[in-house]
Amino acid sequence: MTLASMKRKYEPRTVKLGPDGKPIATSAMIASLSAEGYDTVSAPFGHALLELARKDEKIVGLTADLAKYTDLHIFAQAMPHRFYQMGMAEQLLMSAAAGLTREGFNPFATTYAVFASRRAYDFIAMAIAEENLPVKIVCALPGLTTGYGPSHQATEDLAIFRGLPNMTIIDPCDANDITGMVPQIAAHPGPVYSRLLRGKVPSVLTRHKPDYKFQLGKAQTIRDGKDVLIISSGFMTMRALDAAEKLAVDGVDAAVLHVPTIKPLDVDTILAEARKGGRLIVTAENHSVVGGLGEAVATVLLTNGVTPEFRMIGLPDEFLEAGALPTLHEMYGISVDRVAKQIRNWL
Amino acid sequence: MPAVRIGAASNVSLEMRAWNIRRKALLMGEVQGQGYIGQALGIADVLAAAYFHALEYRPEDPEWEGRDRFLLSIGHYAIALYAVLMEAGILPEEEYETYGMDDSRMPMSGMASYTPGMEITGGSLGQGLGIAVGMALGLKRKGNPAFVYNLMSDGELGEGSTWEAVMSGVQWKLNNLICLVDFNNQQADGKPTEALAQGDERQKWEAFGWHAQRVDGNDLEAVVTALNVARETDHDGPRVIIFDTKMCKGVDFLENREITHFVRVEPDEWAKALAVLEKGKPQ
Ligand SMILES: Cc1ncc(C[n+]2csc(CCOP(=O)(O)OP(=O)(O)O)c2C)c(N)n1
Ligand SMILES: [Mg+2]
């Protein structure tokens, strides 16, 4: 293979222009998700962890040079004596967290999702999961939440961790999920990998279902509907709910089943919803279509003899482009408009 | 086409090159309203000396087999490398206006498949030096006398993979490998010297068997001398230069603000920074 054949976009490219005639700028990693119409909560993870730590002295926090970028700085500033800055060393982060659990502590370890799932995987597998140690791994920049390109886009983290025995996996949608999840995963006796939205995080679920509360291991119907059932996780539940409102205008009645716990999957609820019948089932995830929620749901349905019309919305099996997030969400089919359009076409 | 060192053939001073690099980086930052400008301003002198004194390459043929390889392990420093690639004529200067834009060849984090002259995809930190080891091995196997330069950061000193490569370079006696460390004493959460880069960094590399130097990375003369020594020493193994640099160097009001990993520049401050730089233009 020559070097030249490896180059995908080596040739000069024409830069796209936005509606104002100017090129469209990349959103920095600090940029929040576009979540129009929703209130936001600042650093829900950091505040929830701090609140819990005030009651539970076993809780400690560790990071690999990303406290500020995972909202762990809230905890670190308030409880410096219970915070460990491990430096930029993700493998060490995981080994050391395992060591802390061996001495009876309850560590929350943070980094970006790409670095936990890719660089530190073997350390998580052997030092943590194989021994079923209750390390809580909480990781920012899940899926396509940065325009910086594949080095920071964790498009296959769920696939990687789904293959790992003992691991509980969470893909929260919003601030409600994150705040609700922290004490529940802290109390969980095994290892947990959770994706994280950080900074100003939208509050989505309680607007659609005022009494919504995160429950570890449970899928919950946020909205009912008779034409299509969207089974979604992470911020794609927000996209699904927004798309459902658009579809309603066209007379399409969409239900949304939110599945924040990816593993163990809430098989009973998923089967019960799917068996209601007569609805197209669409999974929606901020993750590669390989190995994530969509394939997990498909397996549950097929192995239980439930065979509805079934479609998947997710990121393609590719290394994604760099660029502005709204552009990329549109391009890869996970914007509200694209979700609604795809569903309309399938009906 | 002879393999020229541009700097040697040109009458543009290295000071001017460094100034041009800073200016181009600021122009790109202004286009995007953001960018790792503190890092770019800090490393500009090292890049000027590397590309206009030390490296051999052909601007019109960035994949020329005889080129010295320059690896940007630190993908987030891409803004700085784009500036020097433009200054070197590898990228057209006008393209600065597309920095970080959708479909640009210059994404905010450096990637090999996007940009001529960008040898590797960096950004997942701690990978460059290992790749450099493999390229240095490959060059030796081909009998190619080129050097491999790997530009890395002090934050990357924390990654275990860096030290695997450090030991490997010694094992294979890679006297064609030159590692450049930007020691700006900054990483995302704070100072490397308060985390994993404690102790005497030069002595550490030396203890592993590297030829090690530590110089002021904003003193062009010292940088040039160190690069000469690194290339010319008869040390039977790899070489490292640790550059102490100052983030935001050359723009006083940015130098003096509280320095963080991502230095905030307000929208109106880019023009102001360019004006400050203009005042310090070398004669
Ligand atoms: C393996 C890996 N871990 C974490 C990060 C996230 N990250 C991006 S830059 C950075 C700081 C690294 O230190 P350094 O390069 O010295 O930072 P700077 O001097 O630019 O502030 C971190 C932790 C990363 N890109 N790669
Ligand atoms: Mg640094």
Side-chain angles (χ1 to χ4, degrees):
Chain A
M1 182 165 59
T2 65
L3 202 55
S5 75
M6 290 157 56
K7 307 255 172 192
R8 287 179 301 159
K9 302 168 188 109
Y10 202 86
E11 293 308 311
R13 315 169 82 200
T14 320
V15 174
K16 266 192 231 110
L17 301 181
D20 58 356
K22 290 192 176 151
I24 300 168
T26 299
S27 32
M29 291 196 267
I30 306 120
S32 306
L33 277 176
S34 79
E36 275 150 50
Y38 291 105
D39 294 337
T40 60
V41 177
S42 181
F45 169 64
H47 291 291
L49 188 65
L50 178 58
E51 193 187 317
L52 185 69
R54 291 212 163 98
K55 292 178 277 192
D56 179 353
E57 61 185 24
K58 296 290 188 199
I59 294 210
V60 291
L62 301 79
T63 190
D65 196 29
L66 287 171
K68 273 191 229 165
Y69 297 79
T70 56
D71 289 345
L72 191 64
H73 64 295
I74 305 282
F75 168 86
Q77 281 159 9
M79 300 198 159
H81 52 294
R82 285 163 68 178
F83 167 72
Y84 299 93
Q85 173 57 264
M86 302 308 290
M88 193 172 67
E90 294 79 11
Q91 299 175 343
L92 166 72
L93 173 74
M94 300 306 170
S95 311
L100 280 160
T101 61
R102 290 180 169 281
E103 298 301 333
F105 293 95
N106 200 355
F108 278 69
T110 75
T111 177
Y112 285 159
V114 275
F115 306 125
S117 59
R118 296 177 184 162
R119 181 148 318 176
Y121 179 74
D122 186 27
F123 296 75
I124 294 170
M126 293 315 297
I128 297 172
E130 195 273 335
E131 306 212 31
N132 206 18
L133 296 176
V135 173
K136 312 299 150 43
I137 301 162
V138 180
C139 294
L141 299 188
L144 184 50
T145 49
T146 164
Y148 271 52
S151 64
H152 286 70
Q153 292 161 344
T155 50
E156 80 290 18
D157 59 329
L158 301 179
I160 289 171
F161 287 119
R162 276 185 66 223
L164 187 59
N166 291 340
M167 191 55 98
T168 292
I169 304 171
I170 310 209
D171 187 15
C173 166
D174 72 345
N176 296 292
D177 269 349
I178 291 168
T179 307
M181 143 198 121
V182 168
Q184 293 182 41
I185 66 174
H188 180 71
V192 176
Y193 169 76
S194 179
R195 287 175 146 199
L196 177 69
L197 304 167
R198 61 108 199 273
K200 287 196 178 355
V201 179
S203 179
V204 176
L205 298 166
T206 43
R207 203 191 81 191
H208 294 271
K209 190 181 180 194
D211 64 343
Y212 176 82
K213 288 216 160 35
F214 173 87
Q215 287 175 271
L216 185 60
K218 288 275 174 276
Q220 299 186 50
T221 299
I222 308 298
R223 175 194 169 107
D224 223 337
K226 60 180 181 358
D227 300 321
V228 53
L229 169 64
I230 308 173
I231 303 179
S232 56
S233 69
F235 78 69
M236 286 307 286
T237 295
M238 172 175 78
R239 295 281 193 258
L241 289 164
D242 292 349
E245 286 179 354
K246 273 189 184 279
L247 289 166
V249 176
D250 303 345
V252 174
D253 197 13
V256 176
L257 177 65
H258 176 46
V259 188
T261 307
I262 303 293
K263 189 182 174 183
L265 206 57
D266 185 353
V267 173
D268 293 344
T269 303
I270 290 170
L271 281 177
E273 282 295 324
R275 281 187 172 129
K276 286 182 181 168
R279 295 187 292 189
L280 167 71
I281 294 188
V282 177
T283 57
E285 60 192 311
N286 168 33
H287 184 271
S288 165
V289 289
V290 176
L293 177 71
E295 285 191 356
V297 170
T299 305
V300 165
L301 297 182
L302 209 53
T303 53
N304 286 281
V306 182
T307 54
E309 283 264 356
F310 181 83
R311 297 283 186 279
M312 286 163 61
I313 292 174
L315 301 169
D317 179 21
E318 289 167 20
F319 286 108
L320 307 184
E321 299 240 349
L325 269 188
T327 310
L328 297 175
H329 282 192
E330 191 66 22
M331 174 154 89
Y332 292 116
I334 62 170
S335 65
V336 176
D337 279 348
R338 288 287 313 274
V339 168
K341 202 180 269 172
Q342 289 172 87
I343 291 174
R344 230 180 267 121
N345 288 342
W346 288 326
L347 277 168
Chain B
M1 163 61 65
V4 281
R5 279 201 188 103
I6 299 242
S10 142
N11 55 8
V12 179
S13 70
L14 288 180
E15 284 77 14
M16 195 63 223
R17 296 292 189 188
W19 188 87
N20 285 339
I21 292 167
R22 291 192 164 92
R23 184 168 164 277
K24 289 182 168 76
L26 281 169
L27 286 171
M28 280 185 271
E30 186 175 35
V31 159
Q32 196 58 226
Q34 58 170 327
Y36 285 97
I37 195 64
Q39 286 82 339
L41 295 171
I43 202 65
D45 299 305
V46 171
L47 288 176
Y51 274 80
F52 298 98
H53 174 75
L55 261 66
E56 289 190 37
Y57 55 93
R58 291 177 179 168
E60 73 293 349
D61 182 11
E63 292 174 17
W64 170 51
E65 173 65 10
R67 75 193 182 283
D68 289 326
R69 278 63 168 163
F70 190 93
L71 277 53
L72 186 72
S73 184
I74 31 185
H76 65 292
Y77 278 54
I79 187 172
L81 199 76
Y82 299 146
V84 75
L85 291 175
M86 283 174 202
E87 182 65 14
I90 295 171
L91 283 177
E93 178 142 6
E94 325 75 78
E95 248 179 88
Y96 85 84
E97 290 191 340
T98 74
Y99 167 65
M101 299 299 181
D102 282 356
D103 271 342
S104 166
R105 292 202 294 183
M106 303 190 299
M108 298 196 64
S109 188
M111 287 187 272
S113 58
Y114 282 66
T115 319
M118 184 71 74
E119 295 270 358
I120 63 167
T121 294
S124 178
L125 298 173
Q127 298 203 12
L129 194 56
I131 300 171
V133 163
M135 290 173 75
L137 284 170
L139 288 172
K140 279 186 178 290
R141 176 164 288 277
K142 293 192 285 190
N144 183 328
F147 279 102
V148 182
Y149 292 79
N150 175 62
L151 177 61
M152 61 175 279
S153 65
D154 46 5
E156 288 186 290
L157 296 169
E159 292 288 350
S161 54
T162 295
W163 298 98
E164 295 174 15
V166 165
M167 292 184 283
S168 181
V170 173
Q171 178 197 354
W172 296 106
K173 296 191 169 47
L174 296 178
N175 56 6
N176 57 347
L177 172 59
I178 299 178
C179 186
L180 312 175
V181 182
D182 181 12
F183 210 111
N184 59 5
N185 203 17
Q186 184 67 48
Q187 58 189 109
D189 276 341
K191 292 184 179 2
T193 49
E194 290 169 7
L196 296 175
Q198 307 210 12
D200 186 323
E201 203 53 43
R202 193 184 61 80
Q203 279 182 14
K204 282 190 217 171
W205 289 72
E206 227 164 51
F208 277 103
W210 284 58
H211 178 281
Q213 307 175 72
R214 183 164 190 162
V215 301
D216 178 348
N218 296 122
D219 174 347
L220 262 174
E221 234 178 273
V223 173
V224 165
T225 307
L227 285 166
N228 287 344
V229 171
R231 285 209 317 272
E232 287 156 17
T233 171
D234 54 14
H235 179 72
D236 192 19
R239 302 98 205 268
V240 63
I241 311 171
I242 298 151
F243 294 107
D244 289 295
T245 64
K246 190 168 174 46
M247 285 179 81
C248 301
K249 180 76 184 179
V251 180
D252 50 11
F253 76 93
L254 291 178
E255 274 180 42
N256 295 333
R257 77 177 36 164
E258 195 204 354
I259 293 289
T260 56
H261 169 66
F262 200 84
V263 177
R264 265 194 73 84
V265 179
E266 302 305 325
D268 61 318
E269 287 182 331
W270 295 100
K272 189 177 159 201
L274 281 159
V276 169
L277 192 76
E278 193 63 43
K279 275 196 219 125
K281 185 171 180 173
Q283 297 313 309

